[in-house]
Amino acid sequence: MVSLDELSARQIAAGVAAGDFSALEVAKASLSALDAREPQLHAFLQVSAGLALDTARATDERLARGEEPGPLAGVPVAFKDNMHLVGTCTTCASRMLGGYESVFTATCVGRLLAAGATPVGKTNMDEFAFGSSTESSAFHPTNNPWDLTRVPGGSSGGSAAAVAAGEVALALGSDTGGSIRQPASLCGVVGLKPTYGTVSRYGVVAFGSSLDQVGPFARRVEDVALAMNALVAPGPDPLDSTSQDCRADFLGRLDDAVEGRRVGVVPALLEAEGLTGEVKAGIALARRVLEDQGAKVVEVDLPNIASAIAAYYVIAPCEAFSNLARFDGVRYGHQEEGCATLARQTALSRARGFGREAIRRQMLGAYLLSSGTYDRYYYPAQQVRTLITQDYERAYEQCDVILMPATPRTAFRFGEISDPTQMYASDMFTISNNIAGNGGISVPLGLGQESGLPISAQLQGPAFGDATLLSFARAIERGVDAGLGPGKGAPVALGFIGKGGELL
Ligand code: GLN
């Protein structure tokens, strides 16, 4: 009996290619894990069982005909619900797009399917990706698999939880200010936000177009590398003008030695308000793990990083306001009936279709882009963006990667953070990287001694240095595998631990 708790994506693809088990058996294993775990977890907005079984059968038939089944043959994959896939709905977890059926497939989704992956469904998220807890989904919250009373992080919380719980081997998310790395950290899985322009965004519902980037979640670094190969292999996507030619063998470079390479640390960041002792201890451990493998630690400075959240919450709402204008209840989205005028219909459709945070972001964007205000906020925010980008450029003259926390603390309880600005602070370690456009990865370190919840390190790298990032992440993972993790010492289990720690 195939179990996703024990198999990595790479092992699944190898097993399917070798005929050890069929893609259909793996798809059924994923669907039965979903049956068993979704009632507690709610990671999915839609399970595409028929599509999964049909795709898996087609993979098995290709194999039977002697054809190459692809590097992701039979690997069950979930997609964040802001990614289009024909045969599914794409709702962005919003009433505005409730029941909206995709009419085309996003390039990132299509590339994983072309590599042989099995599409199992669409995962929950904060509405239109605004948030850090998945609580703003219009449909239901998602529970953290390590403690069902806590959030999985966000906005790609469903993707992170589904991977952590062994429902799927791989998932895609999107990261505008931290939405891959932050939930990966809170759920104890690996999550990569590649450099802006690496993965096509065609067919991914836009939030902040100068910040958005798609990336993979998996439980092992090598699976993230495997997914990256499939995402970039066909070359740049002519349908996304920001897409670059990033063809590389991420998997082949995974075991590049870190010996003699330089890890930057930013001492001021480790004194940040809100950073817990447990997470700080985790970063010290990750540093030691890298030093033990011969990496050199150098101190670097990112003097403008403290302004990153402020700059982001000007730039991102402005871009979101512009992108979400298309949801007017006529061309797209929820439409209120029986209104006397078109203006009334648009106003009501938008007021009732969007949730609170989506409305807050758009009002903020409308205000910030109005004349007078634009000069006071938008323009300075763009200047801060340049300063932060230059800070990173200078830092990467001295080091190959920068090590820092992914999140200030472990997973919080539902409703614990109700003040929006406090929620925005959850991304204090991730946002600056989106502002600069660089890559970043969350790597699990194990369970914290005090909280018993997953703790991660984040590695950030220079633009298009994502293969290097993955090799450093792998070096940390090697240390954690060897039992060097904090607290319980064990690597993050390939299992599903529910409330109270029992294995479900
Ligand atoms: N939490 C941040 C926000 O709310 C980032 C979200 C994201 O990366 N999609 O905007």
Side-chain angles (χ1 to χ4, degrees):
M1 179 67 186
V2 178
S3 162
L4 298 192
D5 290 342
E6 277 131 41
L7 293 173
S8 69
R10 200 175 177 192
Q11 288 166 330
I12 291 172
V16 168
D20 297 340
F21 39 76
S22 66
L24 189 61
E25 280 174 89
V26 181
K28 286 182 177 164
S30 171
L31 293 173
S32 61
L34 279 159
D35 275 348
R37 295 165 184 183
E38 270 305 278
Q40 293 109 308
L41 207 61
H42 311 297
F44 280 76
L45 288 173
Q46 186 186 0
V47 176
S48 53
L51 194 58
L53 295 173
D54 289 348
T55 308
R57 279 193 200 97
T59 304
D60 289 332
E61 280 162 19
R62 277 207 311 279
L63 201 59
R65 287 197 300 268
E67 290 169 28
E68 191 42 59
L72 291 175
V75 175
V77 181
F79 300 105
K80 185 175 182 177
D81 204 36
N82 60 354
M83 298 173 184
H84 285 289
L85 167 59
V86 170
T88 68
C89 290
T90 297
T91 69
C92 294
S94 179
R95 265 192 308 281
M96 183 53 97
L97 283 174
Y100 180 85
E101 290 174 20
S102 289
V103 292
F104 65 110
T105 293
T107 301
C108 57
V109 173
R111 286 187 176 186
L112 294 194
L113 301 189
T118 300
V120 171
K122 307 292 282 293
T123 52
N124 200 15
M125 56 188 281
D126 281 297
E127 184 177 13
F128 282 100
F130 303 138
S132 307
S133 67
T134 310
E135 290 169 290
S136 76
S137 165
F139 304 119
H140 52 72
T142 292
N143 299 331
N144 189 308
W146 295 94
D147 177 346
L148 300 173
T149 67
R150 292 175 187 273
V151 303
S155 63
S156 314
S159 289
V163 167
E167 294 180 331
V168 288
L170 211 60
L172 288 185
S174 62
D175 189 313
T176 306
S179 280
I180 292 174
R181 291 161 287 158
Q182 191 260 12
S185 171
L186 302 196
C187 289
V189 297
V190 186
L192 171 70
K193 179 203 96 75
T195 303
Y196 182 79
T198 300
V199 179
S200 165
R201 296 165 307 137
Y202 176 73
V204 181
V205 179
F207 162 2
S209 303
S210 74
L211 303 156
D212 296 341
Q213 182 56 199
V214 171
F217 291 93
R219 287 175 304 196
R220 305 289 299 171
V221 176
E222 66 170 14
D223 285 352
V224 166
L226 183 70
M228 282 306 295
N229 278 3
L231 288 166
V232 303
D237 179 10
L239 299 172
D240 175 355
S241 62
T242 67
S243 145
Q244 306 287 314
D245 189 352
C246 295
R247 276 173 284 191
D249 184 5
F250 292 96
L251 205 50
R253 291 201 37 204
L254 210 52
D255 286 312
D256 284 3
V258 298
E259 190 173 357
R261 288 151 91 198
R262 299 154 307 164
V263 183
V265 292
V266 187
L269 276 187
L270 296 173
E271 302 310 319
E273 203 188 313
L275 177 66
T276 62
E278 207 179 34
V279 175
K280 200 170 160 178
I283 301 310
L285 174 107
R287 173 182 169 155
R288 221 174 46 236
V289 164
L290 292 173
E291 281 178 316
D292 283 351
Q293 293 176 54
K296 298 208 173 4
V297 171
V298 293
E299 288 191 3
V300 293
D301 193 16
L302 297 171
N304 295 291
I305 201 172
S307 307
I309 292 188
Y312 172 89
Y313 279 98
V314 173
I315 297 166
C318 289
E319 295 187 7
F321 170 62
S322 159
N323 276 322
L324 270 60
R326 75 194 67 181
F327 302 107
D328 56 6
V330 176
R331 290 170 298 173
Y332 297 99
H334 167 79
Q335 187 180 87
E336 286 289 321
E337 312 263 321
C339 301
T341 63
L342 180 63
R344 175 94 185 127
Q345 180 188 292
T346 306
L348 263 192
S349 300
R350 286 174 65 80
R352 294 193 178 148
F354 288 124
R356 278 178 79 86
E357 185 61 25
I359 289 176
R360 181 182 293 122
R361 299 286 177 114
Q362 290 176 82
M363 287 178 71
L364 199 55
Y367 170 72
L368 291 165
L369 287 174
S370 55
S371 67
T373 327
Y374 179 90
D375 291 340
R376 266 209 315 274
Y377 297 105
Y378 186 77
Y379 194 59
Q382 294 293 5
Q383 289 175 311
V384 169
R385 184 173 197 167
T386 302
L387 292 175
I388 290 173
T389 308
Q390 290 170 345
D391 282 354
Y392 274 112
E393 281 165 3
R394 269 194 294 274
Y396 291 126
E397 285 167 10
Q398 300 165 58
C399 63
D400 298 292
V401 296
I402 299 177
L403 171 70
M404 63 171 82
T407 52
R409 52 174 292 191
T410 52
F412 41 93
R413 290 187 194 281
F414 290 99
E416 190 178 332
I417 302 186
S418 53
D419 171 6
T421 54
Q422 227 186 314
M423 187 69 88
Y424 300 166
S426 307
D427 296 308
M428 60 202 272
F429 296 114
T430 50
I431 271 178
S432 53
N433 227 30
N434 299 73
I435 287 194
N438 300 335
I441 187 166
S442 280
V443 198
L445 297 171
L447 304 181
Q449 217 149 21
E450 281 159 45
S451 62
L453 293 165
I455 292 186
S456 291
Q458 182 186 194
L459 291 162
Q460 299 188 346
F464 304 109
D466 301 331
T468 304
L469 219 46
L470 283 161
S471 63
F472 273 87
R474 174 70 193 121
I476 292 180
E477 188 182 57
R478 264 197 300 271
V480 175
D481 284 350
L484 300 175
K488 308 204 168 138
V492 169
L494 293 184
F496 180 67
I497 299 176
K499 194 178 168 192
E502 78 276 23
L503 211 62
L504 296 178

